[in-house]
Amino acid sequence: MAAVSNFEHLTRAPHMLSSLVEEVYDQYVVNLQTGASTVDVNGLRTCSMAITIIAAGVIGTFEGMLQQHFMWGDAYTELDKVLRHKGRDDLADRFLDYRLGVNVLKHGVGRSYDTLLTRRAALPFVMKGKGEAFFNEGDVSEVGGLVDTRGPFIQHCVEIINEIRCVIGLE
């Protein structure tokens, strides 16, 4: 088996972790079909929080790896320039959506939130508007936060990072 680069590990790890979380999540759902246990509800919420942590981790780790590999002080600004120079504005824009989404997860309302809010209807993920308390009222797995990382959020982050790796020649 050929050696695997750190960038490959970065894109494999979120899949592995999120798969484990999904297995636990599914078990809590099964348990709730026969009873209404607080333990199971809290378990679902913990799974949702784990997914949020994985999403923040993969984007943040990617930034650090770019800084180390290319010796970039501001990795995201430099990456954006490279992608746009290569004619991949679409990829730069998609990555920006997820990068700003993770900023909103980490920092809450601020510049990233305001930027995304202006394009909320076109985002590839769900984000709460000002004053919204829930993504889906009655969803017992929901945790606090302005961006919903459940569903394909992590998968999309990883796909975008893999696409970036190919475009900029990172193995």
Side-chain angles (χ1 to χ4, degrees), residues 110-169:
R111 285 186 313 218
S112 295
Y113 177 76
D114 292 340
T115 298
L116 291 177
L117 194 59
T118 64
R119 302 179 318 89
R120 182 175 166 215
L123 292 174
F125 50 83
V126 179
M127 187 177 87
K128 289 179 189 169
K130 291 198 185 270
E132 290 182 358
F134 303 102
F135 294 114
N136 187 9
E137 190 165 0
D139 180 350
V140 297
S141 70
E142 186 173 316
V143 291
L146 297 170
V147 174
D148 193 352
T149 58
R150 297 169 298 169
F153 191 93
I154 291 175
Q155 177 186 342
H156 290 169
C157 288
V158 170
E159 288 169 357
I160 291 167
I161 289 171
N162 274 329
E163 195 172 343
I164 289 169
R165 286 180 45 222
C166 291
V167 168
I168 66 175

Side-chain angles (χ1 to χ4, degrees), residues 13-31:
H15 174 71
M16 179 182 73
L17 294 170
S18 61
S19 293
L20 293 171
V21 171
E22 287 174 21
E23 286 178 31
V24 173
Y25 184 95
D26 290 345
Q27 185 57 54
Y28 286 125
V29 169
V30 168
N31 294 349

